[in-house]
Amino acid sequence: MAQVYLGDDSGGDAGDPEGPGGDTRPGASEVAMDITLSEQERMLQEQARSFLAKEAPLELARAMEHDARGYPPALWKKMAELGWLGIPLPEAHGGAGLGLLELTIIIEEMGKALAPTPLIPTVALGAMAVAEGGSEEQQRRILPRVAGGELVLSVAYMEHGRPDLGWVRDVVATAAHKTKDGYTVTGQKQFAQYAHVADMLLVLAQEAASGKPLWLLVDRNAPGVTVRHLSTTAADHQCHVELKNVAVPSQDALPGDAWTLLERMLQRGAIATCAAMTGGAQRMLEITTEYAKTRVQFGRPIGTFQAVSHRCADMAVETEGARYITYEAAWAYSQGRDAALDVSTAKAYVSDAVREVMLNGHQAHGAIGFSEEHPVPLYSRRAKMGEALFGSASLHRERVARLLGM
Amino acid sequence: MAACSPKAGGTMDFAWTAEDAAFAKELDDFLKAELPPWWRGMFTSGERGWEYTKEFCQKIAKKGWLTMAWPKEYGGGDASLWKQVIFREAMARAGEPRGSQYMNTNWIGPTIMQFGTEEQKRYHLTRISKGDVLWCQGFSEPNFGSDLASLQTRAAQDGDDYVINGQKIWTSYAERAEFCFLLARTNQDAPKHKGISVFIVPMKTRGVTVRPIMSMAGGDDFNEVFFEDVRVPRSAMLGAKDEGWRVVTAVLNFERIGLARYEAAKWAVDEVIAYAKRSETHGRSLAKDPLLRQRVADVYARYRVARALNYRLASLMSKKGESPGPADASLTRIHNILMTRRAGDLAMEALGLEGRLSEGTADAPLAGMLEYEWRKSISATIAAGTLEIQKDQVATRGLGLPR
């Protein structure tokens, strides 16, 4: 054995070729933890990336902010053809039978491209609620049309004047009065995204006699429904919905437990919002890094200044964190686990993290980033909306504290 | 373009396998039974604690846990990286009963495995896997900390030997270590990154002296080390002459993610919650204080993010054909260390004035352990490369920004 140097006065114990005693454990034979994207997820991601690069350039997002409809039907149709609108819906009703996680991957890419479509209200909120709490007949009636791109849904869950930090808990003022063959519904809802172009609204109401909450499928064109388009920070086509003695037949009430459906819908909304915000943050990071490499001041690229480069590093750090905590929440939900803690953890973190990413992006760009002709405001305004949608960071932190037993 | 097809090809997976979960439980049960009642964590249990960590390491070495993810030929158990992660987390929660030997498994062993000669590997890895050797790391110098590559400690060739002169500082565990993993300049004329070599220097070699420095976290784990005409043979060199910077890069990548700091921070969060539930302030339960609830939840969320990113790195390292990006270790470390800082501050915030009672004082909540966590948390954003150095790594190597 060749010499190993042990010091000039060592006893010269030149090692012992035998390994340690005791039990050596067999290696894992089943699938180990792996939080990188699977082959299928990566393919989906790449498909979304290349499709959106071609079909949803930033000019489209900009144009759709001021468009009366707010999304291009041709793009919607193509997304249906790719199977995206049916991803988390049951195969029996024209879906792909996948989960929220796969949809989350698509939504993250859409957040990067700011692709203007009603995918979140239609699929992540509405159709998934019908799949979870709708009758067989309702699923048959609605889900295949959603998957095929023939039905746009909007969800009217929030009471007008009761934003409640973006998370509805136990107050429903919209009243559903029992009639011979259904309900008459009266109330005012706020922040129903794309309600102005939706074919159908999913409305959270309360049975007047019993005080029990229930979800109703309401035809947007039914007499007594008035939709008013709202101007928002993100120009994301939120709407106010007024219902005046709207007749809803019995077969349009979802049989599932209304509070459970609401809680799960809000969780999906929070996850989808986190994903879209993460995508936006990623693009903001890319735009800012590129700018820091090419913008020259004081005779050198501004990215050589640590005051700028460390902002970029911070953006990368926060974006990566946002991405994986979002995946974890989406994974937990898709696995059928109780995802309340995962979801609130994600939304609490992502809301704050992405705000910082956006502000750092603005700071690095200086005045040009304040110009609406530049991409930066498109992203930062969208993220600002996302911060408050489906629960603010402070609301979710309170939920986390409660779930941790405080 | 193919349409989305029904289930095929699986999904990412955030869950332990049944086997891994069983191992985690076995480990926790073992630690409950094994750790003595007086054990409060590394460096806070005095001399008795140091003695115990040696005993502990030998015990777990016998169980095959100390270096379980190493190859069998070097005293390992060929276990999956995930088992190592689970083990690391349990150690962090238990106050690191491996003492300073975490370094051996985290980066000294893996680096020797990567760069060592067959003899160096066989000798040192076997020693490490048995849990009966302590090391220290001779990197920083009084004038070169963040600017590590400018270090001035010299190793001059003299026949078949090298003669080392210089000084190292902030050398943890130097007084107890048997070997020093030393960086020294072997080429004065090359650019600064090109003339450094690594030496494995036995600490009892003539000319090595150690002077303890009292650190803010107390204890005796901080030192200066002086090298005066320290003579070692050529065989003490690790890796190629003048190419030590490659070794350093590998070391720092191992070191930056080697400790499950996030789990130590989680321990602090759990303790704060328990303390808040049993404490009253201004006539109501402290656990009902809305501001504290916000802070606890914030630190908890950051813990979850740090953990997810550590798992991401482990996923990339254990997947065939994948490897982490050049700045992924730094990016992950930034999460780990900032969360450590926040957890330390949260503990002090929650415990108020009582939280300022130090270890060894009667009435100190949790025997002063949370106060100690805060002291330690100060070093989190400095050791193994300051937060700013890590950000430089992310900016230049990760994002490709110009230097």
Side-chain angles (χ1 to χ4, degrees):
Chain A
M1 180 183 249
Q3 188 209 356
V4 170
Y5 183 62
L6 299 171
D8 43 8
D9 56 352
S10 87
D13 170 14
D16 172 355
E18 283 173 45
D23 62 323
T24 42
R25 314 178 55 79
S29 56
E30 41 189 322
V31 183
M33 180 189 292
D34 181 357
I35 72 166
T36 54
L37 296 187
S38 70
E39 200 50 43
Q40 173 181 270
E41 287 157 349
R42 196 194 305 262
M43 278 165 58
L44 198 57
Q45 187 182 58
E46 279 162 13
Q47 181 195 60
R49 210 166 277 175
S50 55
F51 171 80
L52 292 167
K54 192 159 113 316
E55 304 287 341
L58 211 52
E59 295 73 57
L60 182 67
R62 202 188 301 280
M64 285 298 141
E65 285 199 347
H66 312 291
D67 182 80
R69 184 192 303 272
Y71 77 96
L75 177 66
W76 189 242
K77 200 76 201 144
K78 283 179 186 160
M79 285 165 60
E81 281 158 15
L82 286 174
W84 289 4
L85 306 185
I87 282 177
L89 305 178
E91 288 172 81
H93 300 297
L98 299 165
L100 182 66
L101 178 56
E102 287 82 1
L103 193 66
T104 299
I105 289 165
I106 299 275
I107 292 170
E108 185 187 343
E109 294 306 316
M110 289 174 63
K112 254 184 228 173
L114 296 180
T117 76
L119 180 122
I120 292 178
T122 300
V123 184
L125 305 179
M128 284 185 84
V130 172
E132 286 189 0
S135 68
E136 190 57 31
E137 183 276 328
Q138 288 164 344
Q139 295 190 45
R140 235 193 347 265
R141 177 153 47 106
I142 290 164
L143 302 184
R145 290 163 65 208
V146 167
E150 297 143 32
L151 198 69
V152 171
L153 301 177
S154 176
V155 178
Y157 64 96
M158 196 173 286
E159 293 294 329
H160 180 244
R162 295 279 326 236
D164 279 338
L165 298 174
W167 191 276
V168 175
R169 269 202 294 265
D170 48 7
V171 178
V172 186
T174 300
H177 297 273
K178 199 102 188 71
T179 59
K180 187 159 50 56
D181 49 6
Y183 299 95
T184 313
V185 187
T186 300
Q188 292 191 56
K189 294 289 186 179
Q190 190 71 311
F191 297 110
Q193 200 188 11
Y194 281 106
H196 67 308
V197 290
D199 302 290
M200 196 177 274
L201 309 173
L202 204 51
V203 178
L204 180 62
Q206 179 174 281
E207 217 173 46
S210 65
K212 263 186 51 174
L214 79 165
W215 284 99
L216 298 167
L217 292 160
V218 178
D219 182 347
R220 187 184 51 95
N221 298 311
V225 176
T226 318
V227 177
R228 182 161 50 84
H229 189 271
L230 304 169
S231 187
T232 66
T233 308
D236 58 344
H237 305 288
Q238 302 281 349
C239 301
H240 171 271
V241 177
E242 187 171 11
L243 303 129
K244 258 202 193 129
N245 300 319
V246 180
V248 181
S250 293
Q251 71 261 26
D252 287 347
L254 298 191
D257 178 70
W259 285 144
T260 307
L261 288 178
L262 173 70
E263 165 75 24
R264 291 179 59 78
M265 190 192 82
L266 292 172
Q267 286 183 14
R268 292 194 302 276
I271 292 168
T273 304
C274 285
M277 288 173 84
T278 299
Q282 176 64 36
R283 183 52 51 84
M284 184 64 120
L285 166 67
E286 290 162 7
I287 293 169
T288 305
T289 303
E290 195 47 42
Y291 186 73
K293 285 177 186 172
T294 50
R295 169 76 172 170
V296 173
Q297 291 289 279
F298 307 101
R300 51 203 258 212
I302 60 170
T304 58
F305 297 109
Q306 281 183 324
V308 176
S309 72
H310 284 193
R311 279 189 194 279
C312 294
D314 288 344
M315 292 167 81
V317 166
E318 299 283 36
T319 302
E320 206 65 31
R323 177 172 297 119
Y324 280 87
I325 202 70
T326 300
Y327 287 164
E328 189 167 3
W331 171 84
Y333 186 99
S334 298
Q335 291 284 309
R337 296 167 178 237
D338 177 358
L341 180 59
D342 305 85
V343 170
S344 285
T345 294
K347 188 61 168 68
Y349 178 80
V350 173
S351 289
D352 280 353
V354 174
R355 178 182 57 235
E356 292 307 309
V357 170
M358 295 297 162
L359 291 178
N360 277 327
H362 268 292
Q363 197 61 33
H365 276 90
I368 199 170
F370 198 65
S371 155
E372 272 292 352
E373 293 165 15
H374 197 274
V376 163
L378 285 176
Y379 285 95
S380 68
R381 287 189 289 100
R382 200 64 56 107
K384 201 66 199 165
M385 194 81 200
E387 267 181 62
L389 285 170
F390 301 101
S392 66
S394 57
L395 174 131
H396 281 289
R397 280 194 292 266
E398 173 54 34
R399 274 171 62 94
V400 166
R402 187 166 49 76
L403 292 163
L404 291 178
M406 271 186 103
Chain B
M1 204 177 277
C4 200
S5 64
K7 268 224 183 314
T11 166
M12 66 169 71
D13 194 351
F14 278 86
W16 298 122
T17 60
E19 188 195 331
D20 285 346
F23 174 59
K25 184 168 182 332
E26 182 185 3
L27 204 46
D28 280 338
D29 291 348
F30 167 80
L31 288 168
K32 268 197 204 76
E34 164 61 30
L35 294 171
W38 52 262
W39 172 257
R40 290 201 309 271
M42 188 179 170
F43 315 130
T44 54
S45 307
E47 200 54 39
R48 171 165 72 159
W50 270 103
E51 283 311 309
Y52 176 71
T53 61
K54 283 187 203 161
E55 203 181 300
F56 179 86
C57 283
Q58 284 167 18
K59 223 174 249 183
I60 56 174
K62 283 210 172 63
K63 291 183 86 74
W65 290 346
L66 188 61
T67 52
M68 64 175 68
W70 290 12
K72 277 212 169 57
E73 56 184 308
Y74 303 126
D78 280 326
S80 75
L81 182 62
W82 291 112
K83 288 222 168 43
Q84 193 73 46
V85 169
I86 289 167
F87 187 75
R88 205 182 269 172
E89 289 184 351
M91 292 299 108
R93 280 192 298 269
E96 200 50 77
R98 289 174 299 178
S100 69
Q101 291 189 49
Y102 69 85
M103 292 181 11
N104 304 3
T105 5
N106 285 354
W107 63 265
I108 294 167
T111 306
I112 291 174
M113 222 176 284
Q114 196 175 331
F115 295 96
T117 61
E118 202 45 49
E119 292 75 30
Q120 286 170 329
K121 286 195 273 197
R122 203 166 322 147
Y123 176 81
H124 288 295
L125 299 178
T126 306
R127 288 284 313 277
I128 289 174
S129 71
K130 289 182 163 182
D132 67 350
V133 60
L134 303 186
W135 284 70
C136 63
Q137 179 191 43
F139 279 24
S140 292
E141 297 182 4
N143 294 323
F144 304 100
S146 291
D147 182 15
L148 184 60
S150 295
L151 59 91
Q152 289 302 304
T153 293
R154 280 188 64 172
Q157 198 156 359
D158 179 19
D160 284 343
D161 293 344
Y162 282 90
V163 179
I164 302 169
N165 278 286
Q167 186 196 341
K168 296 291 173 178
I169 197 165
W170 322 130
T171 317
S172 299
Y173 330 119
E175 269 207 304
R176 301 169 188 277
E178 192 175 332
F179 293 102
C180 179
F181 193 104
L182 181 77
L183 300 186
R185 192 163 296 287
T186 39
N187 185 338
Q188 300 300 313
D189 308 321
K192 64 179 185 178
H193 289 90
K194 302 261 192 266
I196 295 168
S197 302
V198 178
F199 292 91
I200 297 175
V201 180
M203 290 296 283
K204 59 192 173 196
T205 313
R206 260 190 297 274
V208 178
T209 42
V210 176
R211 189 185 75 84
I213 300 172
M214 187 53 90
S215 87
M216 188 173 158
D220 55 358
D221 57 312
F222 224 32
N223 303 278
E224 287 178 293
V225 185
F226 301 88
F227 296 84
E228 289 171 273
D229 293 332
V230 174
R231 181 175 289 270
V232 295
R234 174 82 180 72
S235 63
M237 190 184 279
L238 178 72
K241 179 174 179 292
D242 296 343
E243 289 188 16
W245 197 254
R246 281 183 52 223
V247 182
V248 172
T249 308
V251 166
L252 291 174
N253 273 339
F254 289 130
E255 187 185 21
R256 280 171 179 161
I257 51 161
L259 277 182
R261 276 185 178 276
Y262 54 95
E263 283 298 328
K266 172 62 163 41
W267 170 85
V269 171
D270 290 344
E271 291 301 341
V272 165
I273 292 173
Y275 176 86
K277 284 162 91 166
R278 63 176 182 261
S279 307
E280 272 210 0
T281 179
H282 298 287
R284 74 165 173 195
S285 165
L286 182 57
K288 295 287 165 241
D289 177 68
L291 292 176
L292 183 65
R293 293 167 73 87
Q294 288 285 317
R295 285 195 70 166
V296 165
D298 180 54
V299 177
Y300 173 81
R302 288 168 193 282
Y303 152 73
R304 289 286 303 266
V305 170
R307 190 180 70 172
L309 289 173
N310 279 272
Y311 288 177
R312 168 181 170 255
L313 271 186
S315 299
L316 288 169
M317 289 160 110
S318 45
K319 219 172 168 167
K320 282 209 171 17
E322 296 257 16
S323 61
D328 279 352
S330 283
L331 186 144
T332 305
R333 182 173 178 84
I334 290 171
H335 278 278
N336 286 343
I337 63 188
L338 287 178
M339 109 131 278
T340 301
R341 272 277 177 96
R342 282 170 201 267
D345 276 334
L346 169 69
M348 292 299 253
E349 170 79 8
L351 273 58
L353 264 181
E354 275 198 323
R356 273 67 178 170
L357 294 171
S358 305
E359 198 201 344
T361 305
D363 305 330
L366 277 89
M369 282 303 96
L370 283 170
E371 192 256 16
Y372 177 73
E373 274 303 310
W374 173 79
R375 288 171 181 260
K376 261 199 337 199
S377 76
I378 295 291
S379 70
T381 47
I382 296 162
T386 63
L387 174 62
E388 289 69 25
I389 292 286
Q390 312 288 348
K391 285 187 182 182
D392 280 347
Q393 293 284 316
V394 172
T396 57
R397 304 196 62 208
L399 301 173
L401 287 169
R403 281 179 193 273

